[in-house]
Amino acid sequence: GAVVSQHPSWVICKSGTSVKIECRSLDFQATTMFWYRQFPKQSLMLMATSNEGSKATYEQGVEKDKFLINHASLTLSTLTVTSAHPEDSSFYICSAQGEVSPLHFGNGTRLTVT
Amino acid sequence: GNSVTQMEGPVTLSEEAFLTINCTYTATGYPSLFWYVQYPGEGLQLLLKATKADDKGSNKGFEATYRKETTSFHLEKGSVQVSDSAVYFCALGGANTGNQFYFGTGTSLTVIP
């Protein structure tokens, strides 16, 4: 079964609102979680890396104030898209890594901003 | 730096045809290589992987061999099925890259009956 659960799987929101996406490791402690973004017909681009209990490391060009990442526990990381705009519409995928477990991907969240 | 170059699609094949999706990479160090598959509306699923040179990853009839001399990890399947229709991503990553993955642009495969 799935070892990384991502929720919601899809969300539609109005421009200007904020959306929170959760990524949970179900049966292992995720010391590191990665957040990716996938544009239509393109590959996944790493947005940020988060380690439990510390601030996320953002890739160049990713606005940290717009994409808030919290990794408060060993089983949960959240990505909050603040003041979303239509250009933020995309497919967001998380992955999680434990100290002794392999990397697993969530099923992704499709965000549509109207 | 690390990067992955993957053949562009889309690829359309008839059922039972032979499939090859080319993938080459550049890397600092010795990463692991992966093929992921993404079915419509779903996330990534690991298809196969190889962790060192000359390793062959295989799963569900798909194979790929880690070729250090040609820096390649081409995906092959001898006889594709309609259910193989999906987008395939080549990637490098693993402990040598701090588990940061570098993906190719993906190749869309459609298999027609």
Side-chain angles (χ1 to χ4, degrees):
Chain A
V3 293
V4 174
S5 173
Q6 194 171 333
H7 178 79
S9 56
W10 60 271
V11 58
I12 302 172
C13 70
K14 292 185 177 181
S15 186
T17 62
S18 295
V19 175
K20 180 183 286 188
I21 302 170
E22 294 186 347
C23 181
R24 293 181 183 273
S25 57
L26 298 182
D27 55 5
F28 67 97
Q29 293 184 325
T31 50
T32 306
M33 286 187 172
F34 303 86
W35 286 95
Y36 294 84
R37 180 175 180 176
Q38 184 181 30
F39 292 98
K41 299 184 179 181
Q42 294 188 27
S43 188
L44 285 79
M45 300 300 295
L46 180 66
M47 299 175 65
T49 303
S50 72
N51 294 296
E52 185 267 337
S54 61
K55 290 184 178 181
T57 302
Y58 289 81
E59 295 300 300
Q60 191 173 9
V62 178
E63 299 176 59
K64 62 177 69 176
D65 294 331
K66 181 163 189 63
F67 299 99
L68 301 178
I69 292 172
N70 183 282
H71 192 166
S73 78
L74 284 171
T75 59
L76 175 64
S77 177
T78 60
L79 166 67
T80 301
V81 183
T82 62
S83 187
H85 292 285
E87 58 265 30
D88 298 325
S89 298
S90 191
F91 194 60
Y92 295 87
I93 301 178
C94 72
S95 64
Q97 165 78 40
E99 286 190 4
V100 295
S101 62
L103 189 71
H104 292 282
F105 283 85
N107 279 342
T109 298
R110 182 161 303 283
L111 169 64
T112 302
V113 184
T114 61
Chain B
N2 298 315
S3 68
V4 175
T5 301
Q6 190 174 339
M7 70 179 280
E8 292 187 16
V11 174
T12 302
L13 294 174
S14 297
E15 205 166 20
E16 299 184 1
F18 184 85
L19 169 71
T20 299
I21 301 178
N22 289 338
C23 172
T24 57
Y25 67 92
T26 58
T28 53
Y30 304 96
S32 297
L33 300 175
F34 304 81
W35 278 100
Y36 282 86
V37 58
Q38 184 179 34
Y39 297 101
E42 298 184 14
L44 296 183
Q45 298 178 29
L46 177 63
L47 180 60
L48 54 84
K49 68 177 183 181
T51 57
K52 61 183 187 296
D54 298 326
D55 267 4
K56 177 187 284 187
S58 61
N59 185 26
K60 299 181 181 179
F62 292 89
E63 292 184 341
T65 301
Y66 191 163
R67 302 284 188 198
K68 186 180 175 183
E69 63 275 15
T70 55
T71 61
S72 65
F73 194 55
H74 304 321
L75 181 68
E76 296 182 336
K77 186 173 184 180
S79 176
V80 293
Q81 305 300 313
V82 173
S83 57
D84 294 326
S85 299
V87 180
Y88 293 82
F89 291 93
C90 184
L92 68 83
N96 287 332
T97 64
N99 275 319
Q100 180 172 324
F101 275 58
Y102 299 83
F103 289 87
T105 52
T107 301
S108 174
L109 169 67
T110 300
V111 180
I112 54 177

